[in-house]
Amino acid sequence: MASVLVVEDDQFVRSALIRQLTEASHTVRSVGTALEALREVAQIGFDVVILDLGLPDLDGAEALKMLRGITDVPVIVATARDDEGEIVRLLNDGADDYLVKPFSVAHLSARMTAVLRRVRGGGAGEPGRAAAPPAVLRVGGLAVDPLRRQAHLDGVTLDLTRREFDLLAYLAGRPGVVVPRRELLAEVWRQAYGDDQTIDVHLSWLRRKLGETAARPRYLHTLRGVGVKLEPPAEPT
């Protein structure tokens, strides 16, 4: 069960989503404008937001950027715009997943489950046995704690978005290994396809927070046409 905010201005679609998500045991609130959505998210903690793009007061893409300015709550975009370029831009702007209208509530529920599984840290493990907490991942002066979702560089806490943390943690779990971009899209973004810009934008943000640049990398190294690896800085000679 999840607490869901449905942001949809079409009253018919909105009512159908509320009814069917409630029948699926989710707790649902709904609003019809972007500004109402921002107020709701600021005041109430939700597990996931279903965001329509065609809102009357503000384009959904702009609303997404504003949401990302105040929260890391998972956002699934509901759109009638079946355009790959726009979908990539939405993913770059912080959407966790998208659905092209019309879609079934069963399809939406499956996407919600997948998104929440990633956010909450994975599968169920063996029946009757508690999963062992993941160890802190250490690469040079970088420490990544997947259980607490915290990262530190040389003892200083890094202020990472959820997606930045997921990317860093995935690479930190494979230090020195070149991870193909397709694997990053599949495992971090849960996307079967996408533009390299999706990864490049997040790598750029992550590098900035690690105090490095693409021209002068310390931890994050991009191998053109191959993938990305994370490794400790070279020892000074």
Side-chain angles (χ1 to χ4, degrees), residues 137-192:
L137 306 170
R138 300 186 184 278
V139 182
L142 186 63
V144 181
D145 187 337
L147 182 63
R148 294 179 175 83
R149 294 189 65 82
Q150 295 177 347
H152 299 81
L153 178 61
D154 299 327
V156 178
T157 301
L158 296 173
D159 182 16
L160 304 177
T161 66
R162 183 167 47 78
R163 187 77 79 186
E164 290 167 355
F165 181 88
D166 290 344
L167 176 58
L168 182 63
Y170 192 82
L171 293 170
R174 298 153 183 78
V177 175
V178 179
V179 180
R181 289 171 175 268
R182 180 174 296 180
E183 181 178 335
L184 290 175
L185 282 170
E187 298 299 328
V188 178
W189 277 267
R190 300 292 178 180
Q191 298 295 326

Side-chain angles (χ1 to χ4, degrees), residues 26-54:
H26 299 296
T27 302
V28 186
R29 290 176 68 93
S30 68
V31 294
T33 69
L35 293 180
E36 288 177 307
L38 291 166
R39 281 196 295 269
E40 287 283 304
V41 168
Q43 295 173 4
I44 301 173
F46 294 96
D47 292 321
V48 64
V49 173
I50 312 302
L51 177 65
D52 177 45
L53 292 187

Side-chain angles (χ1 to χ4, degrees), residues 188-207:
V188 178
W189 277 267
R190 300 292 178 180
Q191 298 295 326
Y193 68 92
D195 195 300
D196 280 356
Q197 185 184 3
T198 302
I199 297 173
D200 291 338
V201 168
H202 285 83
L203 283 173
S204 176
W205 292 339
L206 196 50
R207 281 194 175 102

